[in-house]
Amino acid sequence: MNPERNLAQPREADTDTSQDYRYLANLAELVTTLTSRLVNPESGAIDGEINNALQRIGDFASVDRSYVFQFSEDGEWVSNTHEWCAEGVAPMMDQIQDAPVDQYAWAMNRFKQGEALYAEDIDDLPPDAEGVKSELRRQGVLSTLNVPLISSGRVLGMVGFDAVRQKKAWQTRHIELLKVVGEIIAGAIERCRAHRTLNRQVEMETLVARASSRFINVSVSSLDDEITRTIAEIGRFTGVDRSYVFRFDRDGLLMSNSHEWCAPGVVPHVDRLQGLPVDFFGYSIPLMKSGEIFYVEDVSKLPPQASAEKAEFEKEGIQTLINVPITMRGAMIGFLGFDAVRERKAWSAHDFRLLNLVAEIFSNAFERRDSEDRLQASLHEKELLLREIHHRVKNNLQIVDGLLYLQTQAIREHADPASIDAFRQSQSRIRAMAAIHDRLYRTPDLAAIDIREYLGILVPDLLATYAADTRIGVEILGESICLGIDRAIPCALIINELLTNSLKHAFPGGRKGRIDVCFERDSAGAFRVTVMDDGVGFPTGRPWTDFNTLGLRLVRDLATQMDAEVVFEGGLGTRFVLGFD
């Protein structure tokens, strides 16, 4: 096959002059020099070496502009990646970025077939090349030579040389040498791409591994922040403009944007994308429900059946997007997404695997939080039930208290004072227990009760019961002590009995006085509750355990129940110390 068919043929000299030989020899030497530099360029130096080659060949061949174009990974777009211009010649590189290959179909098809494009006079280009001819005229090109960049049988792009100020003729032997340069440049580009791809893959894997390790120990309350942090890190690393997570509702009928990160200058959409019907996106969602990643490199090329998705994507200015399904126990619960808004973005199969891993990490996080939510809901239900139990116990105790009061009133005229006092003490004990259940019903923590706070309710009731609120002062001192219900009730009843004992016996004949209740905790963590008065004191000569009143028997029995020790100190007034761990 003649690579220059249908075009002006490269010139072949009728006779080879010494000047032709020198020119060819010098060109061959230059190509050899450039080839040696391009075969194994230092890491990161490939762009400089390509630009150097373009300049030296351009200077040698007396052209006005030399350049490299590279195809996108899918071969549908082409960009001017390197350029050299002679002095006074306008550069064109910035004007030719991400141009559709279809715009230059005639020329691009030649390059993809490994053929060169040579036109000593662009007016000689055939009618099929009208698009190419128009672009070259716009750039002021008179003559052009383009050689494909081929590596491992794959066309990566082309290297070109333009004459702007006067026409330029090339010989076949020159073109063949430049094809060698093209192959060397293509090989260097391919190696550079492979090196960059490998480095990028390693960095991406490191990023995902770090994120995975963070999710192991993150608290449920911090999961949302960690998810947003992770999609932001991936978004910045991959160079996209927006990353996000969508979650389906419990019925799987609606979906909402739950997390979002946007690059600077990119409009967020999280507030707008809430409660969207899942069925509305009838093309992408079924695809992801089948376990596939929904990847669109060019939104404008979505098929007609994806019209709903296309309309939404174009509304958001998306050029490229990738959505990765998030599944839990075999069912899709949402998806992870990345949008390219300002320029298209290519994703590799390696990227797919890593993004699937990120989606799995998020799925585990959501499952953990859902489990926590179910547990909390269950605990809340049990808490409500327990509060209701405490409330009902308190109400029942109040009913018993009321019945005892009515019974007391009924027998007051006929019963002796001792019987009336027995009823009154029973009421006091019932109220003490009712107050405990009332505090447990009202407190945020059902597992414990603040005994000091509880006494703020118990003491005024006792003072009113014994009509002592004007002559006896009660002080509650020390730190707060919170006890579980198994210790709170016996401790409260013990304090109730000791306070009742002081109110009944320590201040006879209407004497005035004071009762102190002090709470302490020693360095070992043990509790001490002291109830003391400045009244007449216990009768001397007998230990307090010899007194067999119901109240003191209750103190001893309740102390045993809670594994506590009661110490009595006589003298001026009475002092009881209750100690327990």
Side-chain angles (χ1 to χ4, degrees):
M1 177 184 294
N2 185 345
E4 285 75 46
R5 69 181 186 275
N6 300 323
L7 294 176
Q9 297 300 308
R11 293 186 179 180
E12 299 292 354
D14 294 333
T15 59
D16 289 328
T17 66
S18 59
Q19 183 178 355
D20 292 329
Y21 279 123
R22 283 196 302 273
Y23 184 89
L24 184 60
N26 290 337
L27 178 58
E29 182 181 356
L30 175 59
V31 168
T32 301
T33 301
L34 297 177
T35 297
S36 66
R37 294 174 63 94
L38 286 166
V39 169
N40 290 303
E42 295 182 6
S43 178
I46 181 64
D47 290 327
E49 292 297 342
I50 291 175
N51 288 328
N52 174 65
L54 294 177
Q55 177 184 356
R56 295 189 64 178
I57 295 174
D59 278 336
F60 179 85
S62 299
V63 295
D64 301 301
R65 186 186 297 121
S66 55
Y67 44 83
V68 168
F69 277 72
Q70 294 186 49
F71 295 143
S72 61
E73 289 291 333
D74 60 6
E76 295 188 2
W77 307 89
V78 64
S79 294
N80 189 176
T81 57
H82 302 79
E83 182 184 52
W84 167 84
C85 294
E87 186 175 352
V89 176
M92 293 291 167
M93 187 167 73
D94 292 342
Q95 301 180 32
I96 312 176
Q97 298 296 319
D98 289 330
V101 168
D102 293 345
Q103 184 176 339
Y104 312 106
W106 180 83
M108 296 306 166
N109 287 334
R110 292 182 66 87
F111 301 144
K112 288 182 178 181
Q113 295 170 18
E115 299 177 1
L117 186 161
Y118 168 56
E120 184 176 346
D121 186 342
I122 66 167
D123 288 334
D124 293 336
L125 289 170
D128 291 347
E130 187 57 39
V132 176
K133 188 187 298 186
S134 297
E135 177 60 28
L136 292 173
R137 282 176 177 163
R138 184 185 71 82
Q139 299 178 26
V141 176
L142 300 176
S143 302
T144 188
L145 170 62
N146 295 163
V147 176
L149 301 176
I150 302 175
S151 176
S152 303
R154 192 163 70 99
V155 181
L156 306 182
M158 60 89 173
V159 57
F161 306 91
D162 292 346
V164 174
R165 291 175 285 205
Q166 63 181 18
K167 295 178 182 178
K168 167 70 177 177
W170 295 87
Q171 294 182 14
T172 301
R173 289 173 293 186
H174 303 159
I175 295 175
E176 292 303 321
L177 283 172
L178 293 178
K179 283 185 177 180
V180 174
V181 175
E183 291 177 0
I184 298 302
I185 291 177
I189 290 173
E190 188 81 342
R191 288 191 297 275
C192 182
R193 285 183 178 180
H195 181 72
R196 289 175 179 171
T197 299
L198 180 59
N199 285 343
R200 181 185 177 279
Q201 289 176 354
V202 171
E203 292 175 11
M204 181 79 164
E205 289 171 359
T206 302
L207 188 155
V208 173
R210 283 201 307 265
S212 178
S213 65
R214 292 199 304 267
F215 274 91
I216 293 174
N217 297 315
V218 69
S219 65
V220 172
S221 61
S222 300
L223 278 178
D224 286 328
D225 291 339
E226 196 58 54
I227 290 172
T228 301
R229 174 185 175 183
T230 300
I231 63 174
E233 288 179 347
I234 297 175
R236 281 190 289 264
F237 177 80
T238 57
V240 297
D241 301 299
R242 186 186 298 117
S243 54
Y244 46 86
V245 171
F246 273 76
R247 285 293 309 269
F248 294 168
D249 66 1
R250 188 178 298 276
D251 298 324
L253 301 177
L254 301 175
M255 64 181 186
S256 297
N257 191 175
S258 58
H259 305 77
E260 183 185 52
W261 167 84
C262 293
V266 176
V267 178
H269 291 284
V270 63
D271 293 335
R272 184 176 65 83
L273 301 176
Q274 299 295 318
L276 305 178
V278 171
D279 291 343
F280 181 73
F281 300 97
Y283 181 77
S284 59
I285 297 298
L287 192 71
M288 287 190 282
K289 283 185 175 181
S290 69
E292 294 186 41
I293 288 178
F294 180 57
Y295 173 45
V296 183
E297 188 167 356
D298 185 355
V299 166
S300 67
K301 295 185 178 180
L302 278 169
Q305 57 266 39
S307 57
E309 284 89 346
K310 184 177 181 180
E312 177 58 37
F313 299 157
E314 290 179 340
K315 182 177 181 179
E316 298 177 26
I318 300 171
Q319 296 193 55
T320 300
L321 91 160
I322 183 170
N323 290 164
V324 184
I326 301 174
T327 60
M328 184 186 300
R329 294 186 292 277
M332 182 178 170
I333 62 168
F335 57 89
L336 166 68
F338 300 89
D339 295 347
V341 175
R342 289 174 283 207
E343 61 182 9
R344 284 181 304 279
K345 161 74 179 173
W347 296 86
S348 68
H350 182 268
D351 294 331
F352 284 16
R353 290 192 292 272
L354 289 178
L355 292 181
N356 268 325
L357 179 57
V358 174
E360 186 176 340
I361 292 170
F362 287 178
S363 171
N364 292 336
F366 288 137
E367 184 168 18
R368 178 182 167 198
R369 185 169 65 185
D370 289 351
S371 298
E372 183 77 13
D373 290 343
R374 288 193 296 271
L375 178 61
Q376 290 299 325
S378 176
L379 290 175
H380 181 64
E381 290 176 1
K382 292 178 180 177
E383 179 182 315
L384 291 177
L385 178 60
L386 192 55
R387 288 187 189 280
E388 181 63 21
I389 290 172
H390 285 305
H391 185 57
R392 293 192 181 190
V393 169
K394 182 215 49 167
N395 289 344
N396 290 336
L397 289 172
Q398 286 180 333
I399 291 172
V400 174
D401 176 46
L403 290 174
L404 288 174
Y405 173 77
L406 292 175
Q407 187 66 50
T408 302
Q409 296 300 111
I411 66 172
R412 183 175 293 277
E413 294 180 1
H414 310 290
D416 60 276
S419 298
I420 298 297
D421 185 62
F423 274 99
R424 187 166 56 183
Q425 288 188 57
S426 295
Q427 283 183 268
S428 174
R429 291 165 186 140
I430 289 172
R431 288 173 191 162
M433 289 187 290
I436 286 285
H437 287 285
D438 184 60
R439 294 312 302 166
L440 286 169
Y441 168 70
R442 299 177 187 279
T443 185
D445 184 5
L446 284 169
I449 186 171
D450 187 333
I451 296 296
R452 179 172 175 168
E453 184 180 297
Y454 158 78
L455 288 182
I457 300 171
L458 178 66
V459 168
D461 185 66
L462 283 174
L463 290 173
T465 298
Y466 291 96
D469 49 331
T470 58
R471 59 188 180 86
I472 300 173
V474 178
E475 293 290 332
I476 302 172
L477 308 172
E479 60 182 286
S480 296
I481 293 180
C482 290
L483 300 175
I485 189 171
D486 57 335
R487 286 195 165 187
I489 290 179
C491 181
L493 288 173
I494 289 173
I495 296 172
N496 177 77
E497 294 302 327
L498 294 177
L499 286 173
T500 299
N501 185 72
S502 293
L503 290 171
K504 284 178 61 179
H505 304 296
F507 308 103
R511 290 181 54 174
K512 293 184 177 182
R514 168 178 170 148
I515 304 173
D516 289 342
V517 182
C518 182
F519 298 96
E520 300 172 287
R521 194 168 190 173
D522 63 23
S523 58
F527 294 105
R528 280 165 47 95
V529 181
T530 303
V531 179
M532 53 187 175
D533 62 59
D534 59 357
V536 297
F538 260 59
T540 59
R542 295 177 58 190
W544 75 278
T545 51
D546 285 353
F547 293 92
N548 203 31
T549 64
L550 176 60
L552 291 178
R553 287 204 312 272
L554 281 174
V555 169
R556 292 195 297 270
D557 292 344
L558 290 169
T560 301
Q561 177 182 326
M562 61 183 298
D563 196 22
E565 180 184 14
V566 178
V567 176
F568 169 73
E569 298 177 7
L572 296 176
T574 303
R575 178 187 179 98
F576 282 93
V577 179
L578 175 67
F580 55 94
D581 294 330

